[in-house]
Amino acid sequence: MSESKTENRKVVIVGSGAAAYTAAIYSARADLQPLLFGGVSMGGQLMITSDVENFPGFPEPVMGPELMDRMRKQCERLNVKIIPEYVAKADFSKRPFELETTEGTRARAGAVIVATGANAKWLGLPSEKRLMGHGVSACATCDGFFFKGKEVVVVGGGDTALEEGTFLTKFASKVTIIHRRNELRASKIMQDRALRNPKVGFIWDSVVTEVLGDGHVDGVKLRNVKNNVESQISCQGLFVAIGHAPTTDFLGGQLKLDANGYIAADGRTRTSVQGVFAAGDVMDSRYRQAITAAGAGCMAALEAERFLAGGHE
């Protein structure tokens, strides 16, 4: 590793969502001179979220991109160095830890906070992308409130889909779950809960082939996978609940992951390697909220500060 091109830092943070920015803010306040590798698409999942109504401190809804921009500006005010490059590889086998980006930027760090998030899996339809944030969502907890009295569809057949669908019945007048098979993959308790809910209906053996609407969702086209018969149904919202993929490829298997591929971390954000911490959706498959990510980013920064000071207990 070339010394002339290497950043030497007490803390390096990988990511650029609520967890990463919060970790950077707390690290800067602790005089750890943090460096943040944020990638090209700075801001994480909130960059594709419209109105955020559940982040404390905002009496009026705030747009997801605006919230991320405010966090970034707060980091910049505290002199956090932000490099918009993706980390391509990391070496956690010895300290200081070493990281290298796709652009060749290198860094050494006494502690690393991984906050790279998890990306929702999408259907891959051009119409889905066009209407994202205008009726297309991957987070019922974030956006369900905006569908009061409306009809929505949920795509998926696992626990996530049924949990999202059941949650949406608090607001929507009707929830239709569309599944490509004729039986659910969800746990028995989740199936029972959804099947008993009078607001929940099912369409089996079908896939969404197009999201309909000009400016907002007003329906979806379906194709039956057994007989190829096409149909369409009216709805005002589409929730895609086919899972999330944590961003961990660059780690090269150096950290222990859980059964679903998320970084395994204890209640203090500590990973399987001392001095490496994880925060946000990359280690949280359950809550996936901006506020929980921010809280974990705070914890990770405080743990990194303690670690660097010699408190390894």
Side-chain angles (χ1 to χ4, degrees):
M1 185 174 284
S2 171
E3 296 297 332
S4 60
K5 296 182 179 180
T6 301
E7 292 269 359
N8 290 286
R9 298 279 173 154
K10 294 179 181 178
V11 173
V12 168
I13 299 156
V14 188
S16 63
Y21 283 145
T22 305
I25 289 165
Y26 273 80
S27 296
R29 294 268 297 165
D31 198 28
L32 299 180
Q33 295 92 43
L35 167 66
L36 186 148
F37 286 123
V40 177
S41 303
M42 301 284 292
Q45 288 290 293
L46 280 173
M47 296 302 289
I48 57 171
T49 303
S50 52
D51 287 347
V52 178
E53 290 199 316
N54 53 8
F55 199 89
F58 291 86
E60 300 299 325
V62 58
M63 296 291 286
E66 180 187 349
L67 180 59
M68 289 296 93
D69 184 58
R70 290 189 180 201
M71 289 189 185
R72 177 173 180 166
K73 287 177 178 176
Q74 189 172 1
C75 288
E76 291 171 343
R77 183 179 65 81
L78 292 169
N79 297 317
V80 176
K81 183 169 184 178
I82 298 174
I83 298 179
E85 297 174 8
Y86 293 110
V87 173
K89 56 185 177 181
D91 183 359
F92 296 152
S93 64
K94 61 184 183 302
R95 292 184 65 229
F97 303 122
E98 298 181 349
L99 303 99
E100 184 175 343
T101 73
T102 52
E103 303 299 316
T105 303
R106 299 175 175 88
R108 286 197 181 102
V112 172
I113 297 172
V114 180
T116 44
N119 295 314
K121 296 178 182 178
W122 298 97
L123 303 176
L125 304 172
S127 53
E128 171 193 49
K129 186 175 182 180
R130 175 172 55 84
L131 291 167
M132 198 174 295
H134 299 278
V136 174
S137 173
C139 181
T141 309
C142 308
D143 300 326
F145 178 81
F146 302 110
F147 293 86
K148 282 186 174 181
K150 298 181 179 180
E151 296 186 7
V152 301
V153 300
V154 176
V155 177
D159 278 354
T160 298
L162 296 196
E163 188 172 359
E164 298 265 290
T166 302
F167 178 83
L168 286 166
T169 60
K170 296 180 180 180
F171 309 101
S173 60
K174 180 181 179 181
V175 176
T176 302
I177 295 176
I178 300 169
H179 187 38
R180 63 168 51 245
R181 299 181 178 86
N182 62 2
E183 60 182 7
L184 298 166
R185 294 177 290 106
S187 59
K188 184 68 164 54
I189 188 169
M190 291 303 301
Q191 291 191 43
D192 290 344
R193 190 174 298 165
L195 289 167
R196 287 198 308 266
N197 195 312
K199 283 189 175 182
V200 177
F202 293 86
I203 296 179
W204 307 103
D205 299 316
S206 298
V207 294
V208 174
T209 58
E210 186 179 353
V211 188
L212 305 172
D214 183 14
H216 58 84
V217 173
D218 59 27
V220 295
K221 282 187 178 180
L222 306 176
R223 178 178 60 83
N224 186 289
V225 297
K226 290 189 173 179
N227 57 26
N228 284 325
V229 172
E230 295 186 338
S231 62
Q232 67 182 57
I233 61 172
S234 174
C235 64
Q236 291 78 54
L238 167 66
F239 288 81
V240 181
I242 56 177
H244 287 73
T247 308
T248 57
D249 287 349
F250 75 96
L251 296 172
Q254 296 181 88
L255 297 181
K256 183 179 178 181
L257 307 179
D258 68 15
N260 296 312
Y262 291 80
I263 296 176
D266 66 8
R268 287 166 51 180
T269 73
R270 298 178 299 184
T271 71
S272 57
V273 174
Q274 274 199 350
V276 179
F277 306 88
D281 290 7
V282 75
M283 47 76 77
D284 173 22
S285 62
R286 184 175 180 87
Y287 300 106
R288 298 198 303 268
Q289 299 298 301
I291 191 64
T292 53
C298 166
M299 292 167 61
L302 295 176
E303 289 296 334
E305 180 185 10
R306 179 185 293 269
F307 174 83
L308 292 168
H312 297 182
E313 77 284 353

